[in-house]
Amino acid sequence: VLGNAGTMVSQAANIPQGLAFAKQYSGPGLTRYISSAYERLSNPETFAENNPMAQSRFLKERFSRDMYRRFETKALGKVKNVAVVGMEDVDRFATEFMWNACYEKGLHTKGIADPVRYADANTRRLVAGRGVGEVPLMQKSKLVQLLAPFQVEVGNLWNVMGGMRAD
């Protein structure tokens, strides 16, 4: 799965769900994502202080694994990290773009008191969280991951489609 271009493309397959949910807020969300990415690269200190994405518990949880990669010392582990980073970058783009679109929707929808929390909840629903208790135990098995690697995403897509049908 790692290093496969098809796997990287499949990470972006959640974007249509985000577009369907955020609707007219997708454009402003993309603009917010691009400016946030630029700000994070150019001024990491001000990003952490001023950007709503820095307040997101969901994004911190989803991308917390990358802070541990710098401690990898084995050569094989470093090679594996190159493939992981490629996949994670595509996932980060899709997830953060959707988060920003949901944040924009939360800002402009009456009755939403906390747009960061709104964006966290809806992005987690759209992309399937990876936190403790969110992935079925069977899916954590190496054998099941080998035989059916994308079942979390497939199950999440069915849940999102069912939720859209009910709305």
Side-chain angles (χ1 to χ4, degrees):
V1 173
L2 286 177
N4 182 342
T7 302
M8 288 169 57
V9 170
S10 73
Q11 295 300 312
N14 291 324
I15 291 176
Q17 296 172 170
L19 293 172
F21 176 77
K23 296 180 179 66
Q24 71 267 25
Y25 303 105
S26 298
L30 181 60
T31 303
R32 180 181 287 277
Y33 166 75
I34 291 169
S35 65
S36 293
Y38 177 75
E39 181 184 351
R40 181 177 32 219
L41 290 173
S42 61
N43 296 323
E45 298 84 28
T46 59
F47 174 80
E49 295 170 4
N50 303 328
N51 196 296
M53 280 188 353
Q55 300 169 14
S56 168
R57 289 182 178 180
F58 171 69
L59 293 176
K60 286 177 188 171
E61 173 190 304
R62 186 165 182 99
F63 299 113
S64 65
R65 285 172 267 135
D66 63 345
M67 78 173 126
Y68 298 111
R69 273 198 287 281
R70 71 179 90 150
F71 299 112
E72 182 63 58
T73 57
K74 297 178 183 173
L76 188 59
K78 289 184 182 224
V79 171
K80 177 185 170 192
N81 284 343
V82 170
V84 169
V85 166
M87 248 179 60
E88 193 171 88
D89 284 347
V90 176
D91 180 47
R92 182 180 290 271
F93 162 71
T95 303
E96 288 184 357
F97 161 57
M98 282 188 274
W99 189 93
N100 280 289
C102 290
Y103 180 77
E104 284 289 330
K105 187 174 181 177
L107 280 176
H108 297 95
T109 302
K110 290 184 181 178
I112 305 295
D114 187 355
V116 171
R117 197 167 179 186
Y118 176 83
D120 278 357
N122 285 292
T123 306
R124 181 183 304 275
R125 185 177 61 84
L126 291 166
V127 300
R130 301 289 190 270
V132 175
E134 292 181 293
V135 178
L137 289 175
M138 189 171 171
Q139 187 62 35
K140 292 185 179 203
S141 158
K142 295 294 181 192
L143 178 64
V144 172
Q145 286 180 3
L146 179 66
L147 297 174
F150 300 110
Q151 294 309 303
V152 172
E153 289 80 3
V154 171
N156 186 61
L157 177 61
W158 281 106
N159 287 334
V160 169
M161 289 171 59
M164 287 180 176
R165 186 193 57 176
D167 292 341

